[in-house]
Amino acid sequence: MSGKQPALSVRTRVRRRIRRRIDALPKPLSLRVRRLWLSAVPITQCAVAAGLAWWIAVVLLDHDRPFFAPIAAVVSLGLSLAKRWRRSVELVSGVTVGILAGDLVISWIGSGTWQIMVVIAIAMSIAVFLDEGPLLPMQAASSAALVATLLPPGDSAGIERAVDALIGGVVGILVVALMPVNPALRSTRDAAGVLGTIRDAATDLAAGLRAQDVDTVSDVLARARGTQGAINTMRADMAGGREISTISPLYWSSRQRLQRIAATADPIDNSVRNFRVVARRALAMTQAGEQLRPEIIEIIGDLSGAYEILREMMLAPPGGEPDEADAARVLRTIARKARTDLVTDSPMSETAILAQLRSLIVDLLMVAGLRRSSARATLRD
């Protein structure tokens, strides 16, 4: 690697200092403080959007108790970055469907127990017919129930509720555009967390295989299987980051970078899945008393360094080091070791592990920016 590392910004230095202090806390407290720290901006967005939506409905439109405006703003935002635009559209559409269906049906059949059943069934049926999302039917049902129980058919309060929902949804999107979460920061942090977990797991798996330690190998498999929640969060935040770069003018210039970050979601996920298969096969061999070839164990150990440089690459600032080329060089060195002639006379289990490792290396090369065809070509003997 060459060239100087770019100077860290004041914000980055402060963030790292805070992170170190959080990490220094007792682990149960550290996890909770970190969760709060990561949610600070979305919480602020929800609070600002709720207050602003209420103010618009009360002061500008003179609505009486527009409770649904702040509710709609909070629901459309939530703490998740993903699909905020879709949540806003679903919420406003659901409220509108529920009010219209409730208004029409209750005006015709009157109100009562069985009428509530009928109007909710009709509102939810229309919503399900229009869209497969879960939010739209729920909002349609709650709005229809409100019309059937509290709001007289044809009353202006029903229309005001739909307007309040629209206000909340629009305000939520505006807040995202003007007070956005850094879309790259959260995505790369998620990815780095997953890569760091498998980095440590690869180190332990190699050690467990050398020692023929069933407990260690079993623990590695359990840890690898436990990453799915973190992977799902990573995928959601990457999708949310791309959405923010579309909505917010502040991040329009970052669209290409966010597309590259989002493109790593599939290969990271696939590499973890392949690692789980390697760990599961390795556990079966260890339990059976079979010894894996030392050269293959060495490749597994080397993967720890590969995951680490990819983790550092994800956390590096734009233009910083290590970059994709640095990571690809490390991975090509490992790829040269993963030769098919290592298992020419090996049993099926050992051959299967090497094949899985080769597939995993292809995934990691794709995380480093290579196309699948180029990554596969790297492994040709």
Side-chain angles (χ1 to χ4, degrees), residues 7 22 25 35 43 50 54-55 58-59 61 83 85 88 91 119 172 187 221 230 260 269 287 314 318 320 330 372 376:
I22 292 174
L25 296 171
R35 184 167 64 239
I43 289 172
W54 173 271
W55 182 84
V58 170
V59 176
L61 299 181
K83 297 183 179 179
W85 174 257
S88 295
L91 188 145
V119 75
S187 300
L221 177 58
R260 290 196 299 272
D269 191 352
Q287 289 172 332
M314 296 299 297
V330 172
R372 175 168 288 276
R376 289 172 63 90

mmCIF file of all heavy atoms in Angstrom, residues 7 22 25 35 43 50 54-55 58-59 61 83 85 88 91 119 172 187 221 230 260 269 287 314 318 320 330 372 376:
data_model
loop_
_atom_site.group_PDB
_atom_site.id
_atom_site.type_symbol
_atom_site.label_atom_id
_atom_site.label_comp_id
_atom_site.label_asym_id
_atom_site.label_seq_id
_atom_site.Cartn_x
_atom_site.Cartn_y
_atom_site.Cartn_z
ATOM 1 N N ALA A 7 -6.297 12.625 6.477
ATOM 2 C CA ALA A 7 -6.502 13.054 7.860
ATOM 3 C C ALA A 7 -7.956 12.852 8.263
ATOM 4 O O ALA A 7 -8.873 13.100 7.479
ATOM 5 C CB ALA A 7 -6.110 14.526 8.000
ATOM 6 N N ILE A 22 -17.810 3.904 24.927
ATOM 7 C CA ILE A 22 -18.943 2.977 25.039
ATOM 8 C C ILE A 22 -18.433 1.549 25.198
ATOM 9 O O ILE A 22 -18.929 0.778 26.025
ATOM 10 C CB ILE A 22 -19.860 3.093 23.814
ATOM 11 C CG1 ILE A 22 -20.574 4.452 23.805
ATOM 12 C CG2 ILE A 22 -20.884 1.962 23.800
ATOM 13 C CD1 ILE A 22 -21.387 4.701 22.553
ATOM 14 N N LEU A 25 -17.431 0.343 28.703
ATOM 15 C CA LEU A 25 -18.458 0.075 29.711
ATOM 16 C C LEU A 25 -18.646 -1.427 29.899
ATOM 17 O O LEU A 25 -18.257 -2.221 29.028
ATOM 18 C CB LEU A 25 -19.784 0.706 29.270
ATOM 19 C CG LEU A 25 -19.822 2.232 29.156
ATOM 20 C CD1 LEU A 25 -21.136 2.666 28.489
ATOM 21 C CD2 LEU A 25 -19.671 2.880 30.532
ATOM 22 N N ARG A 35 -26.813 0.596 21.269
ATOM 23 C CA ARG A 35 -28.082 0.555 20.554
ATOM 24 C C ARG A 35 -28.751 1.931 20.556
ATOM 25 O O ARG A 35 -29.279 2.385 19.537
ATOM 26 C CB ARG A 35 -29.000 -0.487 21.196
ATOM 27 C CG ARG A 35 -30.309 -0.691 20.469
ATOM 28 C CD ARG A 35 -31.030 -1.936 20.951
ATOM 29 N NE ARG A 35 -31.423 -1.827 22.344
ATOM 30 C CZ ARG A 35 -31.028 -2.667 23.302
ATOM 31 N NH1 ARG A 35 -30.217 -3.661 23.015
ATOM 32 N NH2 ARG A 35 -31.436 -2.508 24.552
ATOM 33 N N ILE A 43 -34.338 8.572 16.095
ATOM 34 C CA ILE A 43 -35.224 9.047 17.160
ATOM 35 C C ILE A 43 -35.456 10.550 17.025
ATOM 36 O O ILE A 43 -36.589 11.042 17.158
ATOM 37 C CB ILE A 43 -34.628 8.708 18.540
ATOM 38 C CG1 ILE A 43 -34.713 7.194 18.796
ATOM 39 C CG2 ILE A 43 -35.352 9.466 19.651
ATOM 40 C CD1 ILE A 43 -33.988 6.743 20.042
ATOM 41 N N ALA A 50 -42.855 14.441 14.142
ATOM 42 C CA ALA A 50 -44.132 14.396 14.869
ATOM 43 C C ALA A 50 -44.569 15.801 15.279
ATOM 44 O O ALA A 50 -45.728 16.198 15.081
ATOM 45 C CB ALA A 50 -44.002 13.494 16.097
ATOM 46 N N TRP A 54 -47.832 17.884 13.688
ATOM 47 C CA TRP A 54 -48.890 18.406 14.566
ATOM 48 C C TRP A 54 -49.068 19.908 14.356
ATOM 49 O O TRP A 54 -50.185 20.405 14.248
ATOM 50 C CB TRP A 54 -48.533 18.102 16.014
ATOM 51 C CG TRP A 54 -49.465 18.724 17.012
ATOM 52 C CD1 TRP A 54 -49.360 19.965 17.583
ATOM 53 C CD2 TRP A 54 -50.660 18.144 17.541
ATOM 54 N NE1 TRP A 54 -50.411 20.194 18.439
ATOM 55 C CE2 TRP A 54 -51.220 19.089 18.446
ATOM 56 C CE3 TRP A 54 -51.308 16.918 17.360
ATOM 57 C CZ2 TRP A 54 -52.392 18.836 19.148
ATOM 58 C CZ3 TRP A 54 -52.471 16.677 18.069
ATOM 59 C CH2 TRP A 54 -53.004 17.627 18.945
ATOM 60 N N TRP A 55 -47.966 20.646 14.294
ATOM 61 C CA TRP A 55 -48.027 22.100 14.142
ATOM 62 C C TRP A 55 -48.710 22.491 12.830
ATOM 63 O O TRP A 55 -49.554 23.386 12.805
ATOM 64 C CB TRP A 55 -46.613 22.667 14.196
ATOM 65 C CG TRP A 55 -46.569 24.167 14.100
ATOM 66 C CD1 TRP A 55 -46.726 25.073 15.109
ATOM 67 C CD2 TRP A 55 -46.372 24.922 12.894
ATOM 68 N NE1 TRP A 55 -46.631 26.358 14.626
ATOM 69 C CE2 TRP A 55 -46.404 26.298 13.262
ATOM 70 C CE3 TRP A 55 -46.152 24.586 11.567
ATOM 71 C CZ2 TRP A 55 -46.244 27.321 12.343
ATOM 72 C CZ3 TRP A 55 -45.983 25.608 10.637
ATOM 73 C CH2 TRP A 55 -46.036 26.952 11.018
ATOM 74 N N VAL A 58 -52.530 21.740 13.145
ATOM 75 C CA VAL A 58 -53.248 22.595 14.097
ATOM 76 C C VAL A 58 -53.203 24.063 13.685
ATOM 77 O O VAL A 58 -54.231 24.741 13.619
ATOM 78 C CB VAL A 58 -52.662 22.421 15.515
ATOM 79 C CG1 VAL A 58 -53.226 23.479 16.458
ATOM 80 C CG2 VAL A 58 -52.977 21.034 16.051
ATOM 81 N N VAL A 59 -52.009 24.563 13.394
ATOM 82 C CA VAL A 59 -51.836 26.005 13.166
ATOM 83 C C VAL A 59 -52.210 26.403 11.746
ATOM 84 O O VAL A 59 -52.938 27.385 11.534
ATOM 85 C CB VAL A 59 -50.385 26.424 13.489
ATOM 86 C CG1 VAL A 59 -50.163 27.900 13.156
ATOM 87 C CG2 VAL A 59 -50.071 26.153 14.959
ATOM 88 N N LEU A 61 -53.765 24.407 9.272
ATOM 89 C CA LEU A 61 -55.018 23.879 8.728
ATOM 90 C C LEU A 61 -56.173 23.945 9.728
ATOM 91 O O LEU A 61 -57.310 23.625 9.364
ATOM 92 C CB LEU A 61 -54.814 22.431 8.263
ATOM 93 C CG LEU A 61 -53.776 22.239 7.152
ATOM 94 C CD1 LEU A 61 -53.684 20.766 6.768
ATOM 95 C CD2 LEU A 61 -54.110 23.078 5.932
ATOM 96 N N LYS A 83 -37.140 1.424 3.336
ATOM 97 C CA LYS A 83 -38.517 1.494 2.839
ATOM 98 C C LYS A 83 -39.352 2.587 3.519
ATOM 99 O O LYS A 83 -40.545 2.433 3.707
ATOM 100 C CB LYS A 83 -39.209 0.124 3.018
ATOM 101 C CG LYS A 83 -38.548 -0.988 2.221
ATOM 102 C CD LYS A 83 -39.292 -2.291 2.355
ATOM 103 C CE LYS A 83 -38.624 -3.391 1.524
ATOM 104 N NZ LYS A 83 -39.316 -4.678 1.646
ATOM 105 N N TRP A 85 -40.040 5.561 2.274
ATOM 106 C CA TRP A 85 -40.936 6.100 1.261
ATOM 107 C C TRP A 85 -42.141 5.185 1.094
ATOM 108 O O TRP A 85 -43.282 5.639 1.029
ATOM 109 C CB TRP A 85 -40.187 6.258 -0.048
ATOM 110 C CG TRP A 85 -41.029 6.665 -1.206
ATOM 111 C CD1 TRP A 85 -41.482 5.864 -2.225
ATOM 112 C CD2 TRP A 85 -41.561 7.969 -1.485
ATOM 113 N NE1 TRP A 85 -42.244 6.584 -3.099
ATOM 114 C CE2 TRP A 85 -42.314 7.883 -2.680
ATOM 115 C CE3 TRP A 85 -41.471 9.201 -0.827
ATOM 116 C CZ2 TRP A 85 -42.968 8.981 -3.222
ATOM 117 C CZ3 TRP A 85 -42.120 10.293 -1.382
ATOM 118 C CH2 TRP A 85 -42.864 10.169 -2.560
ATOM 119 N N SER A 88 -44.589 5.451 4.014
ATOM 120 C CA SER A 88 -45.415 6.659 3.949
ATOM 121 C C SER A 88 -46.575 6.480 2.975
ATOM 122 O O SER A 88 -47.718 6.826 3.274
ATOM 123 C CB SER A 88 -44.561 7.854 3.521
ATOM 124 O OG SER A 88 -43.584 8.142 4.486
ATOM 125 N N LEU A 91 -49.115 3.998 4.395
ATOM 126 C CA LEU A 91 -49.891 4.553 5.497
ATOM 127 C C LEU A 91 -50.990 5.482 4.980
ATOM 128 O O LEU A 91 -52.151 5.358 5.353
ATOM 129 C CB LEU A 91 -48.950 5.296 6.442
ATOM 130 C CG LEU A 91 -49.538 5.800 7.758
ATOM 131 C CD1 LEU A 91 -48.509 5.699 8.868
ATOM 132 C CD2 LEU A 91 -49.993 7.252 7.624
ATOM 133 N N VAL A 119 -67.448 -3.788 7.592
ATOM 134 C CA VAL A 119 -66.681 -2.673 7.054
ATOM 135 C C VAL A 119 -65.178 -2.933 7.149
ATOM 136 O O VAL A 119 -64.410 -2.573 6.245
ATOM 137 C CB VAL A 119 -67.073 -1.354 7.766
ATOM 138 C CG1 VAL A 119 -66.488 -1.267 9.159
ATOM 139 C CG2 VAL A 119 -66.624 -0.152 6.941
ATOM 140 N N GLY A 172 -42.640 13.376 7.189
ATOM 141 C CA GLY A 172 -41.622 12.360 7.446
ATOM 142 C C GLY A 172 -40.588 12.301 6.337
ATOM 143 O O GLY A 172 -39.378 12.247 6.593
ATOM 144 N N SER A 187 -24.400 1.612 6.926
ATOM 145 C CA SER A 187 -24.262 0.417 6.090
ATOM 146 C C SER A 187 -22.887 -0.212 6.247
ATOM 147 O O SER A 187 -22.757 -1.433 6.408
ATOM 148 C CB SER A 187 -24.489 0.781 4.622
ATOM 149 O OG SER A 187 -25.773 1.322 4.424
ATOM 150 N N LEU A 221 -19.461 -22.903 14.585
ATOM 151 C CA LEU A 221 -20.664 -23.091 13.771
ATOM 152 C C LEU A 221 -21.846 -22.336 14.369
ATOM 153 O O LEU A 221 -22.612 -21.687 13.640
ATOM 154 C CB LEU A 221 -20.985 -24.586 13.658
ATOM 155 C CG LEU A 221 -22.259 -24.941 12.880
ATOM 156 C CD1 LEU A 221 -22.207 -24.396 11.457
ATOM 157 C CD2 LEU A 221 -22.471 -26.464 12.863
ATOM 158 N N ALA A 230 -27.802 -10.007 12.057
ATOM 159 C CA ALA A 230 -26.929 -8.894 11.680
ATOM 160 C C ALA A 230 -26.898 -8.716 10.164
ATOM 161 O O ALA A 230 -26.839 -7.584 9.662
ATOM 162 C CB ALA A 230 -25.517 -9.137 12.216
ATOM 163 N N ARG A 260 -22.184 0.972 -4.766
ATOM 164 C CA ARG A 260 -21.087 0.003 -4.597
ATOM 165 C C ARG A 260 -21.181 -0.688 -3.240
ATOM 166 O O ARG A 260 -20.941 -1.897 -3.132
ATOM 167 C CB ARG A 260 -19.731 0.710 -4.738
ATOM 168 C CG ARG A 260 -19.406 1.164 -6.147
ATOM 169 C CD ARG A 260 -17.928 1.497 -6.293
ATOM 170 N NE ARG A 260 -17.518 2.582 -5.414
ATOM 171 C CZ ARG A 260 -17.576 3.865 -5.721
ATOM 172 N NH1 ARG A 260 -18.041 4.238 -6.909
ATOM 173 N NH2 ARG A 260 -17.161 4.790 -4.872
ATOM 174 N N ASP A 269 -23.254 -11.906 2.319
ATOM 175 C CA ASP A 269 -24.219 -12.902 2.785
ATOM 176 C C ASP A 269 -23.833 -14.294 2.288
ATOM 177 O O ASP A 269 -23.804 -15.267 3.063
ATOM 178 C CB ASP A 269 -25.615 -12.516 2.283
ATOM 179 C CG ASP A 269 -26.725 -13.346 2.924
ATOM 180 O OD1 ASP A 269 -26.426 -14.320 3.633
ATOM 181 O OD2 ASP A 269 -27.907 -13.030 2.697
ATOM 182 N N GLN A 287 -15.874 -34.655 14.619
ATOM 183 C CA GLN A 287 -16.608 -35.614 15.446
ATOM 184 C C GLN A 287 -16.298 -37.052 15.048
ATOM 185 O O GLN A 287 -16.312 -37.955 15.898
ATOM 186 C CB GLN A 287 -18.107 -35.342 15.328
ATOM 187 C CG GLN A 287 -18.558 -34.072 16.016
ATOM 188 C CD GLN A 287 -20.002 -33.725 15.719
ATOM 189 O OE1 GLN A 287 -20.536 -34.087 14.659
ATOM 190 N NE2 GLN A 287 -20.655 -33.021 16.642
ATOM 191 N N MET A 314 -14.214 -1.629 4.303
ATOM 192 C CA MET A 314 -15.558 -1.088 4.455
ATOM 193 C C MET A 314 -15.558 0.154 5.343
ATOM 194 O O MET A 314 -16.329 1.091 5.116
ATOM 195 C CB MET A 314 -16.493 -2.136 5.051
ATOM 196 C CG MET A 314 -16.713 -3.376 4.189
ATOM 197 S SD MET A 314 -17.455 -3.056 2.580
ATOM 198 C CE MET A 314 -19.055 -2.407 3.027
ATOM 199 N N PRO A 318 -13.774 7.497 1.972
ATOM 200 C CA PRO A 318 -13.585 7.531 0.512
ATOM 201 C C PRO A 318 -12.156 7.966 0.161
ATOM 202 O O PRO A 318 -11.662 8.972 0.670
ATOM 203 C CB PRO A 318 -14.613 8.572 0.048
ATOM 204 C CG PRO A 318 -15.656 8.565 1.109
ATOM 205 C CD PRO A 318 -14.934 8.300 2.398
ATOM 206 N N GLY A 320 -9.541 6.386 1.076
ATOM 207 C CA GLY A 320 -8.626 5.917 2.095
ATOM 208 C C GLY A 320 -8.133 4.503 1.815
ATOM 209 O O GLY A 320 -8.471 3.879 0.814
ATOM 210 N N VAL A 330 -4.754 -9.480 -1.352
ATOM 211 C CA VAL A 330 -4.725 -10.471 -0.277
ATOM 212 C C VAL A 330 -5.514 -11.715 -0.678
ATOM 213 O O VAL A 330 -5.079 -12.854 -0.473
ATOM 214 C CB VAL A 330 -5.295 -9.869 1.020
ATOM 215 C CG1 VAL A 330 -5.465 -10.939 2.096
ATOM 216 C CG2 VAL A 330 -4.386 -8.753 1.542
ATOM 217 N N ARG A 372 -18.188 -11.457 -10.914
ATOM 218 C CA ARG A 372 -18.144 -12.890 -10.640
ATOM 219 C C ARG A 372 -17.260 -13.635 -11.635
ATOM 220 O O ARG A 372 -16.495 -14.518 -11.253
ATOM 221 C CB ARG A 372 -19.555 -13.475 -10.654
ATOM 222 C CG ARG A 372 -19.599 -14.995 -10.489
ATOM 223 C CD ARG A 372 -20.980 -15.513 -10.229
ATOM 224 N NE ARG A 372 -21.432 -15.184 -8.898
ATOM 225 C CZ ARG A 372 -21.134 -15.901 -7.815
ATOM 226 N NH1 ARG A 372 -20.364 -16.976 -7.913
ATOM 227 N NH2 ARG A 372 -21.612 -15.552 -6.644
ATOM 228 N N ARG A 376 -14.115 -15.833 -10.472
ATOM 229 C CA ARG A 376 -14.006 -17.264 -10.784
ATOM 230 C C ARG A 376 -12.726 -17.565 -11.568
ATOM 231 O O ARG A 376 -12.088 -18.597 -11.353
ATOM 232 C CB ARG A 376 -15.224 -17.731 -11.564
ATOM 233 C CG ARG A 376 -16.499 -17.777 -10.720
ATOM 234 C CD ARG A 376 -17.717 -18.047 -11.591
ATOM 235 N NE ARG A 376 -17.638 -19.340 -12.239
ATOM 236 C CZ ARG A 376 -18.100 -20.471 -11.722
ATOM 237 N NH1 ARG A 376 -18.669 -20.461 -10.534
ATOM 238 N NH2 ARG A 376 -17.991 -21.602 -12.375
#
